[in-house]
């Protein structure tokens, strides 16, 4: 199987019946596709936008058990996530890394309290533990976090967790599923849930937004793995369906690494409103976040709210000397978590809503999975395919993904962003060796090259300029304005590779410029943040 749109469409047109059809190409849907294909089921996955365009590319980039969930007493979720953290390190070492975290402590009591909790966290990881939590002196904290505020500092705790590149792992999952025989297709929107005379699901229809053609497919099982959009698909199945999901927004800001210091991450366990805040080194920048803001509506490109940006900056200012200001922000972004809608009277509370996933089977046979977190994508896939196997009366086959190397797997280490390509780095390097002009940077301040655009067009199913700049490389999230400056060159080369005309180039650049407004603060907002103006 080849990971190309043209090949995917050809197979769809020549296939009569699928065992499993998955709607949704984020972490959950892609994990299901890998599991189903690895078991030998004939698997189709469709995604309305690009793979991981939604929440799955806008996480805090942590592969973790969830220290704050442990504090909330959600031991089962933490235990499961710690095991899955270990499996991600094992199966995708090229996109996952051990990260040191430091909690600065300004009282002896908090120091001991957090150490006890983190020792429990270590113990729960068992043989998959990736580091040992320890007490730090004031001097050691300052050595690890040179920009930390020292007034009243009593020392701290160091612990270890995981970090990853979410969108790169997502594309590797799509490639892995394809290598095991699945068909995965982006820019394909489910429009109809098809049923037999008894009201049982037997397929679906989807629109390929690239060619404008609607395809009708038959499937023994249909799975709804659309994250914050699960209710939209459930309404295709049952028009009277009441919303199951209440979105919660998590916002982040990206700043230069000089504001934090070394390679250690900052973890603030108790902010002014009870949330956890991270400052995490990532691709040469620092990610500050996340927030937890309940929303009433969902959208594919949410904007960070003014109060979220203010919360992150003010919290950072409490812990860092020479803390960043609005003028220092390289990018801002937000993702929406699909939390189960609260049943009590407090519609604005997200603290009591479980972060664990939920599996639901409708009367029609539609399987819906919602909730969960990136770290547990594999376990969610396993449980969903187990249910699909029973629902569709598919041949019984056990899960194969516990020990399944993902596309790009290598234990070799490489500098900078080349690491996240894994074994594909060799082929991209060969492109540049054969044609040195392809080693040209797409932006003078960043190391991404023209060869990567060509590679993405040929091997990573890019359709839009945004796909490349936001998710195949991460320039939009790292430095939004630089990505806008690089866009004309990217569009030109993509047009050559994908056989597009100047009209396509102009539309892509206009669309991308509009998108970048969501990821930047306007001069007015920087200078007068009490009257925010986006764009």
């Amino acid at each position: 199987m080849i990971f190309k749109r043209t090949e995917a469409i050809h197979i769809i047109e020549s296939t009569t019946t699928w065992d499993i059809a998955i709607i949704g190409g984020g972490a959950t849907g892609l994990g299901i596709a890998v599991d189903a294909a690895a078991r030998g089921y004939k698997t189709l996955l469709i995604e309305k936008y690009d793979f991981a365009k939604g929440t799955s590319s806008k996480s805090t980039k942590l592969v973790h058990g969830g220290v704050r969930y442990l504090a909330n007493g959600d031991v089962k979720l933490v235990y499961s996530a710690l095991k899955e953290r270990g499996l991600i390190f094992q199966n995708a070492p090229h996109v996952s890394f051990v990260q040191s975290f430091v909690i600065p402590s300004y009282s002896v009591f908090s120091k001991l309290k957090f150490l006890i909790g983190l020792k429990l966290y270590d113990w729960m990881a068992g043989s998959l533990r990736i580091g040992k939590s320890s007490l730090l002196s004031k001097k050691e904290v300052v050595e690890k976090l040179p920009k930390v505020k020292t007034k009243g500092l009593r020392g701290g705790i160091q612990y270890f967790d995981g970090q990853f590149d979410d969108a790169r792992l997502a594309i590797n999952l799509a490639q892995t599923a394809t290598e095991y025989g699945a068909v995965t297709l982006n820019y394909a929107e489910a429009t109809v849930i098809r049923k037999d005379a008894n009201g049982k699901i037997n397929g679906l229809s989807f629109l390929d937004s690239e060619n404008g053609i609607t395809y009708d497919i038959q499937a023994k099982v249909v799975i709804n793995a659309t994250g914050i959009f699960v209710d939209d698909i459930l309404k295709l199945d049952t028009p009277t369906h009441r919303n199951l999901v209440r979105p919660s927004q998590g916002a982040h800001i990206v700043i230069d690494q000089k504001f934090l210091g070394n390679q250690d991450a900052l973890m603030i366990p108790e902010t002014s409103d009870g949330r956890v805040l991270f400052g995490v080194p990532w691709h040469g920048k620092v990610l500050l976040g996340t927030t937890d803001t309940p929303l009433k509506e969902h959208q594919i490109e949410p904007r960070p709210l003014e109060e979220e940006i203010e919360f992150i900056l003010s919290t950072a200012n409490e812990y860092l000397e020479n803390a960043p200001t609005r003028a220092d922000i390289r990018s801002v972004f937000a993702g929406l978590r699909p939390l189960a809608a609260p049943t009590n009277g407090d519609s604005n509370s997200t603290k009591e809503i479980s972060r664990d996933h939920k599996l639901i089977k409708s009367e029609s046979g539609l399987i819906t999975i919602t909730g969960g977190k990136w770290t547990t994508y594999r376990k969610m896939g396993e449980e969903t395919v187990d249910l699909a196997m029973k629902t569709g009366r598919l041949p019984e086959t056990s899960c194969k993904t516990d020990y399944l190397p993902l596309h790009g797997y290598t234990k070799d280490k490489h500098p900078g962003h080349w690491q996240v390509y894994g074994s594909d780095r060799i082929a991209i390097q060969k492109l540049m060796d054969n044609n040195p002009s392809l080693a040209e940077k797409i932006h003078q301040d960043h190391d991404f090259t023209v060869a990567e655009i060509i590679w993405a067009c040929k091997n990573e199913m890019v359709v839009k300029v945004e796909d490349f700049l936001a998710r195949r490389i991460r320039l939009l999230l790292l430095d939004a304005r630089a990505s806008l400056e690089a866009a004309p060159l990217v569009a030109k080369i993509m047009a050559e590779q994908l056989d597009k005309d100047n009209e396509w180039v102009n539309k892509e650049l206009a669309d991308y410029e509009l998108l970048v407004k969501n990821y930047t603060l306007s001069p007015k907002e920087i200078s007068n943040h009490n009257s925010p103006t986006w764009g």
Side-chain angles (χ1 to χ4, degrees), residues 21 42 68 70 83 88 92 109 135 203 222 343 437 501 518 526:
K42 198 161 192 60
R68 68 182 176 130
L70 186 60
K83 178 191 174 186
I88 289 175
F109 174 74
L135 285 173
V222 174
T343 54
S437 69
D501 57 18
N518 261 20
I526 291 170

Side-chain angles (χ1 to χ4, degrees), residues 150-221:
T150 55
K151 185 179 180 181
L153 183 65
R154 299 292 185 91
I157 302 113
Q158 180 181 33
Y159 75 99
F160 297 87
D161 229 324
Q163 191 195 57
F164 76 139
D165 189 307
D166 47 11
R168 289 302 312 175
L169 179 54
I171 203 69
N172 288 158
L173 288 170
Q175 291 167 315
T176 304
T178 302
E179 287 160 5
Y180 277 89
V183 170
T184 57
L185 187 69
N186 53 4
Y187 295 97
E189 178 184 1
T191 54
V192 176
I193 299 292
R194 306 178 69 81
K195 300 178 182 179
D196 63 19
N198 297 316
K200 299 298 181 183
I201 287 179
N202 62 6
L204 58 83
S205 300
F206 72 87
L207 172 67
D208 179 358
S209 62
E210 282 301 286
N211 62 21
I213 297 174
T214 294
Y215 296 89
D216 302 327
I217 65 110
Q218 290 184 307
K220 296 173 185 175
V221 185

Side-chain angles (χ1 to χ4, degrees), residues 16-35:
T16 53
T17 304
W18 302 85
D19 292 326
I20 295 176
I22 304 155
I23 308 169
T28 308
L30 291 167
I32 295 166
V34 170
D35 188 296

Side-chain angles (χ1 to χ4, degrees), residues 297-317:
E297 296 179 350
H298 60 269
Q299 53 187 313
I300 191 63
E301 280 292 347
R303 290 175 173 176
L305 302 174
E306 162 62 24
E307 54 265 35
E308 291 180 303
I309 295 168
E310 184 61 29
F311 168 77
I312 293 170
L313 288 172
S314 62
T315 303
N317 187 53

Side-chain angles (χ1 to χ4, degrees), residues 39-332:
R39 297 196 205 196
Y41 299 136
K42 198 161 192 60
T43 304
L44 170 68
L45 178 145
I46 58 169
E47 161 57 44
K48 181 178 179 179
Y49 303 102
D50 184 31
F51 303 114
K53 174 172 167 67
T55 310
S56 296
S57 62
K58 296 163 184 168
S59 72
T60 314
K61 323 303 177 197
L62 300 181
V63 183
H64 62 147
V67 174
R68 68 182 176 130
Y69 304 139
L70 186 60
N72 292 341
D74 205 340
V75 175
K76 177 175 169 283
L77 175 61
V78 175
Y79 185 80
S80 174
L82 285 170
K83 178 191 174 186
E84 295 303 318
R85 179 188 71 178
L87 295 182
I88 289 175
F89 283 152
Q90 170 190 275
N91 295 332
H94 59 296
V95 289
S96 57
F97 318 89
V98 175
Q99 174 67 56
S100 159
F101 289 79
V102 174
I103 303 176
S105 295
Y106 295 86
S107 78
V108 174
F109 174 74
S110 68
K111 193 172 169 181
L112 293 174
K113 179 178 74 171
F114 296 134
L115 180 65
I116 292 167
L118 288 164
K119 285 293 186 184
L120 176 61
Y121 192 64
D122 291 347
W123 175 79
M124 288 174 69
S127 63
L128 295 172
R129 189 178 74 180
I130 58 175
K132 187 177 179 182
S133 300
S134 60
L135 285 173
L136 300 176
S137 67
K138 177 179 177 178
K139 181 183 176 184
E140 289 171 322
V141 171
V142 174
E143 284 174 354
K144 293 181 179 299
L145 298 176
K147 304 299 182 181
V148 74
K149 284 195 173 176
T150 55
K151 185 179 180 181
L153 183 65
R154 299 292 185 91
I157 302 113
Q158 180 181 33
Y159 75 99
F160 297 87
D161 229 324
Q163 191 195 57
F164 76 139
D165 189 307
D166 47 11
R168 289 302 312 175
L169 179 54
I171 203 69
N172 288 158
L173 288 170
Q175 291 167 315
T176 304
T178 302
E179 287 160 5
Y180 277 89
V183 170
T184 57
L185 187 69
N186 53 4
Y187 295 97
E189 178 184 1
T191 54
V192 176
I193 299 292
R194 306 178 69 81
K195 300 178 182 179
D196 63 19
N198 297 316
K200 299 298 181 183
I201 287 179
N202 62 6
L204 58 83
S205 300
F206 72 87
L207 172 67
D208 179 358
S209 62
E210 282 301 286
N211 62 21
I213 297 174
T214 294
Y215 296 89
D216 302 327
I217 65 110
Q218 290 184 307
K220 296 173 185 175
V221 185
V222 174
I223 296 170
N224 173 16
T226 53
I228 57 167
F229 298 104
V230 293
D231 287 315
D232 298 349
I233 302 302
L234 282 163
K235 285 171 186 173
L236 289 180
D237 177 40
T238 308
T240 57
H241 164 76
R242 292 182 63 184
N243 283 355
L244 178 73
V245 162
R246 174 73 183 275
S248 168
Q249 179 159 296
H252 301 79
I253 67 172
V254 179
I255 54 175
D256 289 334
Q257 193 148 351
K258 66 181 182 181
F259 291 104
L260 189 61
N262 296 330
Q263 291 302 310
D264 296 275
L266 167 69
M267 197 272 222
I268 301 169
E270 292 178 334
T271 61
S272 59
D273 68 349
R275 295 179 247 188
V276 170
L277 194 84
F278 292 99
V280 186
W282 190 65
H283 286 312
K285 301 292 183 186
V286 169
L287 210 90
L288 288 175
T290 179
T291 58
D292 195 6
T293 308
L295 299 179
K296 292 183 178 177
E297 296 179 350
H298 60 269
Q299 53 187 313
I300 191 63
E301 280 292 347
R303 290 175 173 176
L305 302 174
E306 162 62 24
E307 54 265 35
E308 291 180 303
I309 295 168
E310 184 61 29
F311 168 77
I312 293 170
L313 288 172
S314 62
T315 303
N317 187 53
E318 291 175 23
Y319 287 84
L320 299 175
E321 302 283 3
N322 303 313
T325 66
R326 289 163 185 271
D328 299 309
I329 294 175
R330 296 286 186 173
S331 184
V332 296

